[in-house]
Amino acid sequence: MAKIHPFKAIRPTRDKVSLVASRSYESYTAFERDSRMDYNPYSFLHIVNPGYKYQKEISGEERYKLVRNRYLEFKEDEIFVQDETPCYYVYKIVNREQESFSGIVAAASTADYENNVIKIHEDTLQHRENTFKEYLKTVGFNAEPVLLTYPDNDTISDVISKKIQERAEFEFTTTYRDTHYLWKVEDPKSIEVLKDAFASIGTIYIADGHHRSASSHLLAQDLKVNNSDHSGEEPYNFFMSYLIPESDLRIYEFNRLIKDLNGLTKEEFLIKLDEWFRIENRGIEAYKPSKPHHFSMYLDGEFYSLYLRKTTYQFDNALEELDAQILYKTVLKPILGIEDLRTDTRIEYSHGKNDIIPVKSRIDNQEFQVGFVLFPASVSQMKKIADEGLKMPPKSTYIEPKLRSGITIYEF
């Protein structure tokens, strides 16, 4: 039984929303961030990068306090205003490929996260959880929703379908040529329909935002201890989420680029691969795998198809069937000596929405020696791994839609 609540969002005014909205801070290069802030005083980047005002790199608690100050200034200048009553928010994104994503922005329960009603499929790093928890405790808001997915639900779909026939509260197009729309669901009847519909859902899955949700849960535990009147309904017991049906979720692969062959010659490397794969040299043909357990490899100017020998490899659980895990267990760790996928500097990743050209180009430019192209995981695989309490390797999925920061803000 999922507890998904409406909330009173703080939002940019209609005339400034396109100027405020930004991608996640980490997705910009330093040059891109500075360029945007040089010419756009309304960008949300001014809030999350407060050192820009003083031309100084600021970190830790000092940065968190300045983030809070910049945010309050945006409110004082009425760049941000708050809705008067709790609402659900229908949010729709149409990307440049004309794919459409529609869902609900709402407040999800940290208790549901703790009780496994909201399930995870990725490991998180404890130091990142704690760092972001302290950030949240100081700034007092969520500005980028966690992406959650739920089984397709006719009742929720009906509310969304009817609402998007009305004039949108927000409608703007980004420089990435994605068009964003937002509608308020504020009538009491529709609010109760949505609340009951989400309550009827047994399990919701985190698609993107594992560290943000984990940090929100830690924050709730901290604040609960210090609140003698804790009821479980305080705003800190929830975190802002964008909930979309499973049919709207798009999962792409992350391809692997490796800097060397771990001291092996090309021929020695191919012989070791032969234990696990049927190998076919495809020359300059740009081969991309068409089904699970098939891999593409680019090495020394040529593509190879690698087909897993299923008589050799054992599928003991849902994780062992995931191609990213197969590649790690058969190649990356035993042959190439890559133990930790998070910290080893010999491996980098390129998401599959960019196709295989970046993989080929970076190897041709001698930045890397070998690259592997994977077949993307499915939603059902992601769910099965989460249901079995297992965790995917890092960079197993590149998930869309990608959300913007600063369009709806949740205070606690």
Side-chain angles (χ1 to χ4, degrees):
M1 181 173 174
K3 197 173 186 178
I4 306 297
H5 279 191
F7 69 102
K8 294 191 287 186
I10 290 88
R11 301 184 288 114
T13 55
R14 189 198 298 263
D15 62 316
K16 294 185 178 66
V17 62
S18 62
L19 298 170
V20 171
S22 73
R23 305 198 311 269
S24 62
Y25 181 82
E26 295 81 7
S27 70
Y28 295 96
T29 66
F31 176 77
E32 287 177 319
R33 283 197 300 269
D34 288 348
S35 296
R36 277 162 165 68
M37 289 187 286
D38 282 344
Y39 297 104
N40 179 5
Y42 301 110
S43 173
F44 193 77
L45 292 172
H46 284 283
I47 293 176
V48 293
N49 188 24
Y52 171 84
K53 181 176 181 179
Y54 304 105
Q55 297 299 299
K56 179 183 177 184
E57 288 290 331
I58 301 172
S59 61
E61 184 66 21
E62 184 181 23
R63 174 176 172 258
Y64 307 161
K65 289 178 179 178
L66 288 177
V67 168
R68 177 71 179 170
N69 290 347
R70 293 293 87 74
Y71 170 65
L72 293 176
E73 288 168 9
F74 270 50
K75 291 181 70 175
E76 290 161 4
D77 293 340
E78 297 186 342
I79 299 167
F80 287 141
V81 294
Q82 184 168 26
D83 288 321
E84 295 181 357
T85 59
C87 303
Y88 290 107
Y89 300 89
V90 171
Y91 199 103
K92 179 180 177 181
I93 303 170
V94 181
N95 66 19
R96 68 173 74 187
E97 292 86 12
Q98 294 303 301
E99 293 176 307
S100 179
F101 310 90
S102 296
I104 302 289
V105 176
S109 167
T110 59
D112 285 349
Y113 177 90
E114 181 177 8
N115 297 328
N116 217 28
V117 173
I118 297 174
K119 291 188 176 182
I120 66 175
H121 67 266
E122 280 186 10
D123 268 330
T124 53
L125 299 175
Q126 188 172 4
H127 76 274
R128 284 189 63 190
E129 290 181 17
N130 288 324
T131 296
F132 196 59
K133 178 199 72 173
E134 294 303 318
Y135 171 83
L136 292 174
K137 188 181 291 186
T138 302
V139 303
F141 63 81
N142 295 148
E144 183 181 332
V146 172
L147 182 62
L148 302 179
T149 189
Y150 58 88
D152 287 41
N153 182 288
D154 289 341
T155 301
I156 299 172
S157 294
D158 286 346
V159 173
I160 292 173
S161 296
K162 290 174 183 175
K163 180 55 64 173
I164 63 177
Q165 303 305 314
E166 301 174 9
R167 184 195 179 202
E169 187 78 12
F170 291 156
E171 177 181 351
F172 66 95
T173 301
T174 71
T175 53
Y176 270 36
R177 291 181 288 170
D178 300 334
T179 302
H180 296 246
Y181 307 83
L182 181 137
W183 295 262
K184 291 167 59 177
V185 179
E186 54 188 335
D187 64 285
K189 182 178 179 181
S190 295
I191 285 175
E192 286 307 308
V193 167
L194 285 174
K195 189 178 291 187
D196 291 345
F198 280 118
S200 72
I201 296 173
T203 305
I204 289 174
Y205 297 84
I206 297 177
D208 194 17
H210 284 78
H211 281 95
R212 279 172 280 144
S213 48
S215 300
S216 294
H217 173 251
L218 288 178
L219 176 68
Q221 298 304 303
D222 273 13
L223 297 181
K224 172 183 175 180
V225 170
N226 296 319
N227 182 3
S228 59
D229 297 321
H230 175 83
S231 68
E233 295 300 317
E234 294 88 352
Y236 61 72
N237 293 293
F238 298 85
F239 57 95
M240 186 169 64
S241 300
Y242 180 41
L243 299 104
I244 66 171
E246 291 172 6
S247 58
D248 270 14
L249 201 64
R250 300 289 182 271
I251 301 180
Y252 299 89
E253 72 280 7
F254 264 107
N255 302 316
R256 275 72 171 133
L257 291 146
I258 318 298
K259 290 188 175 179
D260 59 68
L261 297 182
N262 198 27
L264 300 171
T265 66
K266 173 183 171 181
E267 290 72 22
E268 289 169 339
F269 178 57
L270 290 170
I271 289 170
K272 286 184 177 293
L273 288 180
D274 195 83
E275 177 185 354
W276 297 103
F277 302 94
R278 288 193 299 113
I279 305 171
E280 182 179 344
N281 186 328
R282 293 178 175 262
I284 62 171
E285 175 192 350
Y287 172 72
K288 190 171 184 178
S290 59
K291 60 182 180 179
H293 315 328
H294 287 191
F295 301 82
S296 172
M297 180 176 72
Y298 187 66
L299 172 67
D300 195 24
E302 295 179 310
F303 285 94
Y304 295 80
S305 57
L306 309 180
Y307 299 160
L308 183 68
R309 296 185 188 276
K310 296 180 182 178
T311 55
T312 305
Y313 186 89
Q314 298 299 313
F315 298 122
D316 296 324
N317 53 49
L319 179 60
E320 299 303 319
E321 297 183 18
L322 184 72
D323 282 356
Q325 178 72 359
I326 291 170
L327 190 69
Y328 175 68
K329 286 191 66 176
T330 61
V331 182
L332 300 183
K333 182 178 179 180
I335 300 176
L336 295 177
I338 295 173
E339 296 279 343
D340 192 331
L341 295 170
R342 295 183 185 277
T343 60
D344 198 306
T345 58
R346 295 167 56 228
I347 184 169
E348 288 191 18
Y349 304 90
S350 174
H351 66 73
K353 194 170 184 188
N354 286 338
D355 202 36
I356 62 177
I357 300 304
V359 175
K360 180 181 185 302
S361 297
R362 298 187 75 182
I363 293 170
D364 288 343
N365 291 337
Q366 300 184 341
E367 296 177 63
F368 298 89
Q369 194 164 353
V370 63
F372 297 94
V373 177
L374 285 66
F375 188 77
S378 65
V379 174
S380 60
Q381 273 187 300
M382 182 187 78
K383 290 173 60 179
K384 193 174 180 183
I385 288 169
D387 289 342
E388 293 183 14
L390 302 170
K391 307 294 187 301
M392 291 182 176
K395 300 292 186 182
S396 290
T397 56
Y398 178 84
I399 292 179
E400 287 198 335
K402 293 298 180 189
L403 306 175
R404 296 271 160 162
S405 298
I407 298 174
T408 55
I409 294 174
Y410 176 77
E411 287 188 348
F412 39 81

